[in-house]
């Protein structure tokens, strides 16, 4: 059985800041976004600027050189715009940020665009199966959290430098679970704020 299935192995990257993209209209409506390229709304832009300013102040307080880190972003536009707003607050050139497809959101396949109540009406048996096993359930034409975790584990294993990462809620759940050594079944229910940053110090998780 792989470490992604057991949840026992702990991947320990160097210092890292993880920021979820700002809010979109679909986030506000509770719709499953996945790979659908939904833009930020005005609230999301405020959240991104807030996180950029908070990161700037955090770096200044801790004496961290913003130019000494690697920057990574999901290629979806809501993550890219969040990155651009954050870089503007930091005073970092946005073109230094590497787009990495491994940081794409978990895909919900044919379910993208629907809310959970809508899916419960359209496909009640599948909605019940998802509720019973959010970790292993694969939506029609989609991806499970187990599958996502394999992708993120492979990406984490490549990190060799302190990094800032701008990505998505599903990715943030898996990353939290890995860094905190949580049981797999707990990962899909983790909190995924859009107005705070996850900071991994190398030994513990903090929120800024």
């Amino acid at each position: 059985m792989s470490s992604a299935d057991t949840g026992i192995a702990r991947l320990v990257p160097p210092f890292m800041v993880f920021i979820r993209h700002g809010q979109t209209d679909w986030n506000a409506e509770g719709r499953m976004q996945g790979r659908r390229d939904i833009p930020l709304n005005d609230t999301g832009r405020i959240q991104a600027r807030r996180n950029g300013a908070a990161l700037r102040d955090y770096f200044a307080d801790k004496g961290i050189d913003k130019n000494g880190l690697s920057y990574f972003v999901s290629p979806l536009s809501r993550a890219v715009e969040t990155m651009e707003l954050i870089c503007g607050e930091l005073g970092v050139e946005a073109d230094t940020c590497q787009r990495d497809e491994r940081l794409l959101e978990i895909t919900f396949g044919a379910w993208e665009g629907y809310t959970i109540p809508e899916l419960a009406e359209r496909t009640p048996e599948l909605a019940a199966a998802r509720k019973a096993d959010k970790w292993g359930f694969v939506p029609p034409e989609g991806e499970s959290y187990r599958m996502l975790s394999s992708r993120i584990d492979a990406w984490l294993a490549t990190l060799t430098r302190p990094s800032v990462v701008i990505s998505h809620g599903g990715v943030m759940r898996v990353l939290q679970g890995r860094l905190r050594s949580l049981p797999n079944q707990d990962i899909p229910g983790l909190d995924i704020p859009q107005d705070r940053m996850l900071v991994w110090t190398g030994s513990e998780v903090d929120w800024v």
Side-chain angles (χ1 to χ4, degrees):
M1 184 176 292
S2 70
S3 62
D5 285 330
T6 64
I8 295 173
R10 180 167 181 159
L11 298 170
V12 183
F15 174 87
M16 177 175 57
V17 176
F18 185 98
I19 305 172
R20 184 186 177 193
H21 65 79
Q23 186 189 81
T24 70
D25 286 347
W26 278 21
N27 286 145
E29 295 166 6
R31 299 195 179 278
M32 305 182 88
Q33 286 185 129
R35 301 291 176 84
R36 296 288 288 274
D37 206 5
I38 310 302
L40 296 183
N41 60 23
D42 288 342
T43 296
R45 295 182 183 98
I46 291 170
Q47 291 170 334
R49 292 189 183 96
R50 177 270 168 202
N51 284 333
L55 184 58
R56 179 194 63 218
D57 294 345
Y58 180 87
F59 283 169
D61 181 61
K62 301 297 183 181
I64 296 171
D65 179 7
K66 64 187 178 184
N67 297 312
L69 287 82
S70 295
Y71 293 80
F72 299 96
V73 64
S74 158
L76 290 176
S77 65
R78 58 188 182 269
V80 171
E81 185 177 2
T82 297
M83 175 270 294
E84 291 170 346
L85 293 169
I86 287 170
C87 286
E89 295 291 335
L90 277 179
V92 171
E93 292 295 329
D95 60 8
T96 65
C97 200
Q98 305 173 51
R99 302 189 188 195
D100 194 321
E101 291 194 352
R102 291 173 296 180
L103 295 172
L104 283 165
E105 177 63 296
I106 185 173
T107 177
F108 298 108
W111 281 12
E112 292 181 1
Y114 293 99
T115 66
I116 294 300
E118 289 170 347
L119 290 168
E121 288 187 7
R122 292 172 62 91
T123 56
E125 292 182 359
L126 289 178
R130 176 184 180 272
K131 185 176 181 180
D133 179 19
K134 288 185 179 179
W135 177 257
F137 177 77
V138 182
E141 304 172 32
E143 183 180 28
S144 68
Y145 271 95
R146 179 182 289 117
M147 295 160 67
L148 171 63
S149 73
S150 295
R151 170 157 55 92
I152 298 307
D153 286 350
W155 173 78
L156 272 175
T158 69
L159 288 188
T160 59
R161 285 166 47 87
S163 302
V164 174
V165 183
I166 299 96
S167 186
H168 303 274
V171 177
M172 190 179 210
R173 287 188 175 106
V174 168
L175 190 62
Q176 280 193 72
R178 287 294 178 253
L179 296 178
R180 295 167 57 192
S181 296
L182 298 177
N184 287 334
Q185 64 268 23
D186 293 347
I187 290 174
L190 290 173
D191 186 33
I192 46 170
Q194 291 172 295
D195 59 353
R196 298 179 70 195
M197 302 175 297
L198 181 155
V199 178
W200 170 250
T201 65
S203 60
E204 61 184 7
V205 168
D206 195 9
W207 292 94
V208 176

